[in-house]
């Protein structure tokens, strides 16, 4: 046991110093980004090289139903081999005993990666970059709401009660007083993150009532997706300690801004370590333009991954801090693709379309796939947009069904993400969308019941 724990990452070792490890949570992300797996005694984990879960966990919808994702052989619920990636071992500091979490990778019985496991999808995309001598770099931004407990889905979501005894106020972007209202929750977020070895670049108040943003440092796409996956659970647990909920819904409150997962992206040359978006003289390169062009060409089909639920499309509202088109500009937050102010070495492209409700592995994979296709095919972008992009035409899908139509036709995107992933993802999302269409909303009852 001591020899095994000595090989843990530094933060996990520090967390366990002088303590007896009780349990290990063996987890994998499903399509929505929910942690699935098993909790096992530490002594058993030390003896096992892998464990089994059925591959049907990737066919499960967000409501707990099962999509009919049968292949040519029909639906066969096969066991997968889940192997630990020990570099992901980290504390679960909210538990009552001393527990670690370890992310696992999914393989079939021949040792081949399961193609619709989200972490494997992202690894596939990253490897396609490396095959061309490139290294993608990302930095996600996480927006979310801390809200009052909501145990009745028929009731509208309300902001949480702040430290002052008043509900959290809206329209207070970057207010330190507003951040202080969540002081106890934020303190626990910092404490949990430190115990897990995660570095937070900053926490700010966003425009919504009870809406916060956490920025993460740039780095390897898989490692950053792991962090977002872990952070969602960490933040939920911190909120629950203080009688509130953390929600990553794209649009939880009708008249408030939605929550995004902005993705900053750059690409390095593997041999030199230099940013291929900048010339030695500091100018923008062909690769930079082609990455932008690929984003503009392929993002409409990728929206189904970046905005995975019917609620996701409620976020794309004019003048509500969310993009409605694929325009690009320098230092302009009204565009879907923004070029932040930076040095040439740090030149990057910010994708502002991804919702915080997307699976972080899949959202980052889809975004990087669009840029890669642009560079491979030398796609030129449209001219830079000047002015308020909310005044421009909408050119992204506005409903989930339309987005899925575009995704299902996008064979170029399927080749990068994996055809089998695209097949399973589409079937699962169609099942969720069809289920939603069976629900009659309060708006329909209010305005149609007696008037049509």
């Amino acid at each position: 046991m001591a020899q095994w724990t000595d090989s843990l990452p530094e933060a996990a070792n520090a967390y366990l110093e002088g303590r007896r490890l009780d349990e290990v949570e063996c987890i994998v992300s499903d399509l929505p980004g929910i942690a699935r797996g098993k909790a096992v005694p530490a002594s058993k984990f030390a003896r096992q090289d892998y464990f089994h879960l059925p591959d049907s966990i990737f066919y499960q919808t967000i409501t707990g139903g099962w999509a009919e994702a049968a292949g040519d052989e029909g639906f066969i619920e096969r066991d997968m081999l889940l192997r630990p990636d020990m570099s992901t071992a980290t504390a679960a500091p909210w538990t009552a005993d001393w527990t670690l979490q370890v992310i696992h990778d999914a393989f079939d019985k021949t040792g081949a990666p399961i193609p619709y496991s989200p972490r494997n999808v992202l690894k596939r995309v990253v490897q396609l970059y490396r095959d061309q001598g490139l290294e993608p770099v990302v930095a996600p931004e996480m927006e979310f709401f801390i809200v009052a407990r909501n145990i009745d889905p028929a009731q509208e979501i309300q902001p949480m009660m702040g430290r002052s005894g008043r509900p959290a106020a809206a329209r207070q972007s970057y207010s330190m007083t507003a951040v202080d209202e969540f002081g106890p929750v934020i303190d626990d977020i910092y404490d949990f993150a430190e115990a897990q070895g995660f570095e937070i670049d900053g926490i700010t108040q966003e425009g919504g009532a009870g809406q916060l943003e956490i920025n993460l440092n740039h780095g390897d796409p898989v490692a950053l997706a792991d962090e977002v996956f872990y952070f969602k659970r960490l933040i939920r647990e911190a909120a629950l300690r203080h009688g509130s909920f953390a929600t990553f819904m794209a649009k939880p409150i009708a008249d408030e801004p939605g929550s995004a997962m902005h993705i900053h992206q750059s690409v390095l040359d593997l041999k030199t370590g230099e940013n291929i978006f900048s010339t030695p003289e500091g100018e923008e390169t062909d690769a930079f333009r082609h990455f932008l062009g690929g984003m503009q060409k392929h993002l409409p089909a990728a929206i189904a991954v970046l905005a995975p639920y019917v609620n996701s499309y409620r976020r794309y509202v004019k003048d509500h801090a969310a993009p409605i088109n694929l325009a690009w500009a320098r230092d302009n937050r009204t565009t879907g693709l923004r070029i932040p102010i930076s040095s040439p070495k740090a030149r990057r492209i910010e994708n502002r379309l991804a919702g915080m409700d997307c699976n972080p592995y899949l959202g980052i994979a889809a975004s990087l796939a669009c840029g890669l296709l642009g560079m491979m095919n030398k796609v030129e972008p449209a001219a830079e947009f000047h002015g308020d992009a909310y005044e421009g035409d909408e050119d992204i899908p506005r409903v989930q069904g339309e987005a899925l139509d575009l995704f299902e036709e996008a064979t170029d995107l399927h080749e990068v993400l994996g055809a089998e992933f695209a097949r399973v993802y589409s079937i699962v999302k169609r099942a969720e969308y069809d289920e939603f269409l069976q629900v009659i909303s309060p708006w329909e009852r209010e305005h149609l019941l007696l008037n049509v």
Side-chain angles (χ1 to χ4, degrees):
M1 176 70 72
Q3 185 177 6
W4 169 69
T5 55
D6 287 345
S7 67
L8 292 172
E10 183 179 348
N13 261 325
Y15 175 72
L16 292 176
E17 187 175 359
R19 302 179 177 116
R20 177 181 174 274
L21 176 62
D22 293 299
E23 190 173 72
V24 178
E25 296 178 346
C26 308
I27 57 177
V28 61
S29 166
D30 67 0
L31 288 189
I34 298 168
R36 305 280 180 185
K38 295 181 180 179
V40 300
S43 57
K44 179 180 179 181
F45 181 81
R47 298 192 303 268
Q48 70 181 30
D49 296 323
Y50 60 87
F51 74 100
H52 293 290
L53 278 183
D55 62 359
S56 58
I57 65 168
F58 297 118
Y59 307 151
Q60 197 163 12
T61 67
I62 193 66
T63 63
W66 303 92
E68 303 224 356
D72 294 338
E73 300 175 292
F75 179 71
I76 301 173
E77 195 173 11
R78 296 183 173 91
D79 266 349
M80 303 180 294
L81 301 181
L82 280 294
R83 297 189 182 278
D85 179 346
M86 294 309 299
S87 70
T88 70
T90 188
W94 48 83
T95 57
D97 53 12
W98 299 103
T99 301
L100 291 181
Q101 309 168 82
V102 181
I103 294 171
H104 286 54
D105 285 314
F107 303 90
D108 65 21
K109 63 183 180 182
T110 71
I114 299 294
Y116 33 81
S117 169
R119 197 168 191 254
N120 287 343
V121 174
L122 179 53
K123 283 188 169 186
R124 172 192 172 92
V125 175
V126 170
Q127 188 58 51
L128 289 174
Y129 274 83
R130 290 173 180 165
D131 290 345
Q132 298 192 35
L134 304 173
E135 185 70 21
V137 176
V138 302
E141 299 175 355
M142 302 174 57
E143 295 177 347
F144 58 95
F145 281 81
I146 306 294
V147 300
R149 283 182 178 265
N150 182 287
I151 57 175
D152 181 359
Q155 298 297 314
E156 292 186 357
I157 294 172
Q158 301 294 328
M160 75 167 283
M161 197 67 68
R163 193 172 53 123
S164 66
R166 292 184 172 185
R171 319 294 189 265
Q172 298 295 325
S173 298
Y174 306 107
S175 164
M176 295 310 300
T177 301
V179 170
D180 289 342
E181 283 286 87
F182 307 102
V185 178
I186 291 175
D187 287 346
D188 275 350
I189 290 173
Y190 273 122
D191 289 345
F192 290 166
E194 182 179 1
Q196 294 187 248
F198 301 148
E199 186 174 349
I200 296 174
D201 194 46
I203 294 182
T204 57
Q205 166 73 26
E206 281 294 315
Q211 187 182 33
L212 298 171
E213 177 179 290
I214 291 180
N215 297 331
L216 304 181
N217 287 327
H218 65 277
D220 171 76
V222 177
L224 266 298
D226 288 340
E227 284 198 24
V228 176
F229 175 59
Y230 275 140
F231 257 108
K232 282 190 170 184
R233 189 177 186 196
L234 175 165
I235 293 166
R236 286 192 183 100
E237 291 291 342
L240 285 171
R241 279 197 170 189
H242 299 279
S244 56
F245 286 173
T247 180
F248 302 95
M249 283 178 67
K251 186 78 167 182
I253 303 175
D255 295 323
E256 301 291 346
S259 290
M261 186 181 75
H262 298 155
I263 306 170
H264 293 249
Q265 304 155 106
S266 58
V267 182
L268 306 181
D269 184 299
L270 267 175
K271 290 183 179 178
T272 66
E274 296 297 321
N275 186 344
I276 70 167
F277 288 169
S278 296
T279 68
E281 296 74 31
E283 302 300 318
E284 294 167 354
T285 63
D286 290 344
F288 171 80
R289 292 198 320 276
H290 296 155
F291 194 105
L292 264 177
M295 298 286 282
Q296 289 186 315
K297 179 177 180 179
H298 296 285
L299 270 174
I303 291 292
V305 180
L306 302 179
Y309 305 105
V310 288
N311 176 264
S312 308
Y313 299 84
R314 302 187 191 280
R315 177 177 152 257
Y316 299 130
V317 178
K318 179 180 175 181
D319 295 327
H320 267 67
I324 60 170
N325 56 43
L326 299 171
W328 76 273
R330 297 172 178 86
D331 194 29
N332 183 339
R333 284 180 169 82
T334 70
T335 59
L337 300 171
R338 170 178 172 260
I339 313 305
I341 296 173
S342 71
S343 67
K345 188 176 179 66
R347 182 171 279 124
R348 61 196 185 274
I349 298 167
E350 179 189 6
N351 176 356
R352 297 176 61 81
L353 286 118
M356 196 60 238
D357 54 347
C358 77
N359 181 306
Y361 299 104
L362 299 181
I364 293 172
S367 190
L368 290 174
C370 294
L372 180 62
L373 285 168
M375 293 191 296
M376 290 170 60
N377 298 311
K378 297 180 170 51
V379 179
E380 289 293 335
E384 179 180 2
F385 188 91
H386 296 280
D388 184 351
Y390 292 129
E391 299 303 321
D393 295 332
E394 297 182 9
D395 49 17
I396 59 175
R398 289 302 309 274
V399 294
Q400 188 179 20
E402 179 187 346
L404 287 170
D405 289 342
L406 294 175
F407 177 75
E408 288 161 2
E409 297 166 0
T411 54
D412 287 352
L413 193 61
H414 298 173
E415 288 179 12
V416 179
L417 299 175
E420 183 64 3
F421 159 73
R423 183 186 73 83
V424 173
Y425 184 84
S426 178
I427 292 171
V428 171
K429 290 301 164 183
R430 284 287 181 192
E432 291 175 350
Y433 186 54
D434 289 346
E435 186 172 349
F436 172 80
L437 292 176
Q438 305 307 310
V439 177
I440 308 302
S441 70
W443 186 95
E444 292 166 278
R445 288 190 290 271
E446 179 178 353
H447 297 290
L448 303 182
L449 183 66
L450 300 178
N451 294 328
V452 298

